[in-house]
């Protein structure tokens, strides 16, 4: 039996210099939890999802990930998380397949699943093309492939359908549907369709 996963935030607060971005955000997510982080531009949606991804630190409050009854050490949280965002960098001078191999090596995760996830996002036939000839939608698909490469327990999506065509949106819908069934799905968005992929909402305008 898989260990129960729990992501718990208590009074999460973030300031930049003296500017309050958000304060006292609370949630507790377990398997089959899905939440949309919403709010006006500048409300801190991307900042909050970066904190959850362990890319930024909160100013105050607690954010903890538990596997069973054990707290996951901060330095290995990345093993539990897949992350898609507009500001993740890819390498134009390498192919799609090479980008996955480089990124997985840097993160210390297996690349054995690369062909399967490239097929899943519709890039397998273009895997040996240099990234510099990829469209913006193809690059977005590659970011999604990397996020699910290690079959993480938690999937974090920041504006996941940006630059995607109808088929690409369908790929996101299918993957999001899988995660809301038996893992944890978090989407930072103001898009109504993306919000509809989640069961609950954290509106940062109301915190």
């Amino acid at each position: 039996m898989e260990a129960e996963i729990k992501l718990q935030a208590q009074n999460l607060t973030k300031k930049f210099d003296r500017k309050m971005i958000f304060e006292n955000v609370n949630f507790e997510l377990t398997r089959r939890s899905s939440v949309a982080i919403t709010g006006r531009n500048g409300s801190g949606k991307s900042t909050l999802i970066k904190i959850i991804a362990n890319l930024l630190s909160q100013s105050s409050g607690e954010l903890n990930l538990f596997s069973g009854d054990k707290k996951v050490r901060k330095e290995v949280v990345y093993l539990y998380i897949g992350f898609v965002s507009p500001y993740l960098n890819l390498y134009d001078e390498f192919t799609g397949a090479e980008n996955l191999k480089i990124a997985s090596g840097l993160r210390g995760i297996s690349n054995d699943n690369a062909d399967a996830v490239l097929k899943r996002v519709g890039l397998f036939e273009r895997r040996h093309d240099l990234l510099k000839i990829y469209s913006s939608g193809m690059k977005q698909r590659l970011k999604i492939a990397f996020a699910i490469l290690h079959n993480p327990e938690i999937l974090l999506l920041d504006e996941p359908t940006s630059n995607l065509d109808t088929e690409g949106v369908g790929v996101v819908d299918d993957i999001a549907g899988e995660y809301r069934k038996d893992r944890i799905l978090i989407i930072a968005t103001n898009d109504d369709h993306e919000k509809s992929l989640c069961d609950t909402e954290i509106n940062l305008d109301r915190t």
Side-chain angles (χ1 to χ4, degrees):
M1 183 176 178
E2 289 182 301
E4 183 56 66
I5 296 294
K6 181 169 68 175
L7 182 65
Q8 186 180 67
Q10 296 176 302
N11 297 321
L12 272 188
T13 296
K14 184 64 179 178
K15 298 178 183 177
F16 285 121
D17 296 324
R18 296 183 180 180
K19 180 176 174 56
M20 180 67 71
I21 307 301
F22 56 77
E23 62 179 329
N24 297 331
V25 173
N26 295 278
F27 58 80
E28 183 172 295
L29 305 177
T30 57
R31 291 188 192 280
R32 295 171 293 281
S33 294
S34 57
V35 60
I37 300 171
T38 64
R40 67 188 185 284
N41 292 342
S43 62
K45 297 185 298 297
S46 292
T47 298
L48 178 54
I49 211 166
K50 283 181 182 177
I51 290 171
I52 296 169
N54 207 22
L55 297 175
L56 281 179
S57 296
Q58 63 269 28
S59 302
S60 62
E62 290 284 328
L63 178 68
N64 292 302
L65 176 63
F66 297 89
S67 177
D69 58 359
K70 295 182 179 179
K71 186 188 293 188
V72 177
R73 291 181 292 114
K74 234 175 170 31
E75 57 266 31
V76 295
V77 163
Y78 71 91
L79 294 173
Y80 293 79
I81 286 176
F83 186 34
V84 178
S85 78
Y87 36 81
L88 290 179
N89 291 322
L90 301 169
Y91 300 99
D92 282 344
E93 64 270 29
F94 294 105
T95 68
E98 288 170 338
N99 264 274
L100 279 189
K101 186 174 182 179
I102 292 166
S104 59
L106 288 172
R107 295 194 68 194
I109 60 176
S110 172
N111 194 50
D112 293 345
N113 203 29
D115 285 354
V117 296
L118 285 168
K119 288 175 183 176
R120 182 75 194 277
V121 301
L123 287 179
F124 184 72
E125 300 300 326
R126 303 292 299 273
R127 67 193 184 282
H128 296 312
D129 290 352
L130 292 176
L131 210 71
K132 64 185 177 183
I133 66 170
Y134 274 29
S135 68
S136 57
M138 290 170 67
K139 290 179 179 178
Q140 182 71 356
R141 288 178 187 234
L142 188 63
K143 292 177 183 180
I144 295 166
F146 179 57
I148 63 174
L149 183 63
H150 58 304
N151 198 29
E153 296 286 353
I154 302 169
L155 186 60
L156 306 177
L157 305 176
D158 192 351
E159 300 179 354
T161 63
S162 62
N163 300 316
L164 291 180
D165 56 16
T166 302
E167 182 184 334
V169 171
V171 169
V172 172
D173 290 359
D174 287 347
I175 292 170
E178 287 181 12
Y179 270 79
R180 71 191 286 183
K181 280 181 185 175
D182 65 358
R183 281 172 275 186
I184 295 174
L185 173 68
I186 303 173
I187 303 179
T189 186
N190 275 331
D191 179 86
D192 286 339
H193 175 73
E194 292 176 352
K195 282 191 274 186
S196 75
L197 300 175
C198 300
D199 293 324
T200 57
E201 180 178 348
I202 296 171
N203 188 323
L204 293 180
D205 292 338
R206 299 177 194 151
T207 60

PDB file of all heavy atoms in Angstrom, residues 25 33 68 72 113 122 154-155 198:
ATOM      1  N   VAL A  25      -1.992  32.037   4.252  1.00  0.00           N
ATOM      2  CA  VAL A  25      -2.607  31.029   3.370  1.00  0.00           C
ATOM      3  C   VAL A  25      -2.529  29.671   4.070  1.00  0.00           C
ATOM      4  O   VAL A  25      -1.457  29.260   4.531  1.00  0.00           O
ATOM      5  CB  VAL A  25      -1.889  30.970   2.006  1.00  0.00           C
ATOM      6  CG1 VAL A  25      -2.425  29.805   1.171  1.00  0.00           C
ATOM      7  CG2 VAL A  25      -2.054  32.292   1.259  1.00  0.00           C
ATOM      8  N   SER A  33      -6.753  15.247  -3.980  1.00  0.00           N
ATOM      9  CA  SER A  33      -7.010  16.680  -3.809  1.00  0.00           C
ATOM     10  C   SER A  33      -6.592  17.413  -5.076  1.00  0.00           C
ATOM     11  O   SER A  33      -5.553  17.118  -5.662  1.00  0.00           O
ATOM     12  CB  SER A  33      -6.211  17.244  -2.634  1.00  0.00           C
ATOM     13  OG  SER A  33      -6.622  16.719  -1.402  1.00  0.00           O
ATOM     14  N   GLY A  68       3.360   9.285   4.633  1.00  0.00           N
ATOM     15  CA  GLY A  68       2.962   8.528   5.816  1.00  0.00           C
ATOM     16  C   GLY A  68       3.040   9.446   7.021  1.00  0.00           C
ATOM     17  O   GLY A  68       2.564  10.581   6.989  1.00  0.00           O
ATOM     18  N   VAL A  72       8.879  14.907   4.950  1.00  0.00           N
ATOM     19  CA  VAL A  72       9.864  14.804   3.875  1.00  0.00           C
ATOM     20  C   VAL A  72      10.879  15.932   4.012  1.00  0.00           C
ATOM     21  O   VAL A  72      10.508  17.099   4.150  1.00  0.00           O
ATOM     22  CB  VAL A  72       9.177  14.870   2.495  1.00  0.00           C
ATOM     23  CG1 VAL A  72      10.211  14.841   1.371  1.00  0.00           C
ATOM     24  CG2 VAL A  72       8.175  13.724   2.332  1.00  0.00           C
ATOM     25  N   ASN A 113      11.794   6.697 -18.509  1.00  0.00           N
ATOM     26  CA  ASN A 113      10.411   6.859 -18.954  1.00  0.00           C
ATOM     27  C   ASN A 113      10.283   7.880 -20.088  1.00  0.00           C
ATOM     28  O   ASN A 113       9.166   8.231 -20.480  1.00  0.00           O
ATOM     29  CB  ASN A 113       9.564   7.308 -17.751  1.00  0.00           C
ATOM     30  CG  ASN A 113       8.097   6.991 -17.911  1.00  0.00           C
ATOM     31  OD1 ASN A 113       7.733   6.030 -18.582  1.00  0.00           O
ATOM     32  ND2 ASN A 113       7.249   7.806 -17.313  1.00  0.00           N
ATOM     33  N   GLY A 122       2.752  13.914 -27.304  1.00  0.00           N
ATOM     34  CA  GLY A 122       2.720  14.092 -28.756  1.00  0.00           C
ATOM     35  C   GLY A 122       4.000  14.612 -29.374  1.00  0.00           C
ATOM     36  O   GLY A 122       3.963  15.215 -30.452  1.00  0.00           O
ATOM     37  N   ILE A 154       2.874  14.846  -6.705  1.00  0.00           N
ATOM     38  CA  ILE A 154       2.242  16.166  -6.742  1.00  0.00           C
ATOM     39  C   ILE A 154       2.573  16.829  -8.075  1.00  0.00           C
ATOM     40  O   ILE A 154       3.743  16.906  -8.462  1.00  0.00           O
ATOM     41  CB  ILE A 154       2.739  17.054  -5.593  1.00  0.00           C
ATOM     42  CG1 ILE A 154       2.472  16.391  -4.240  1.00  0.00           C
ATOM     43  CG2 ILE A 154       2.090  18.434  -5.641  1.00  0.00           C
ATOM     44  CD1 ILE A 154       3.166  17.084  -3.074  1.00  0.00           C
ATOM     45  N   LEU A 155       1.557  17.307  -8.783  1.00  0.00           N
ATOM     46  CA  LEU A 155       1.764  17.998 -10.056  1.00  0.00           C
ATOM     47  C   LEU A 155       1.370  19.459  -9.894  1.00  0.00           C
ATOM     48  O   LEU A 155       0.227  19.768  -9.542  1.00  0.00           O
ATOM     49  CB  LEU A 155       0.938  17.345 -11.160  1.00  0.00           C
ATOM     50  CG  LEU A 155       1.162  17.877 -12.583  1.00  0.00           C
ATOM     51  CD1 LEU A 155       2.612  17.699 -13.024  1.00  0.00           C
ATOM     52  CD2 LEU A 155       0.209  17.182 -13.568  1.00  0.00           C
ATOM     53  N   CYS A 198     -10.020  21.499 -11.425  1.00  0.00           N
ATOM     54  CA  CYS A 198      -9.790  21.320  -9.986  1.00  0.00           C
ATOM     55  C   CYS A 198     -11.111  21.304  -9.221  1.00  0.00           C
ATOM     56  O   CYS A 198     -12.100  21.895  -9.651  1.00  0.00           O
ATOM     57  CB  CYS A 198      -8.904  22.441  -9.448  1.00  0.00           C
ATOM     58  SG  CYS A 198      -7.278  22.516 -10.227  1.00  0.00           S
TER      59      CYS A 198
END
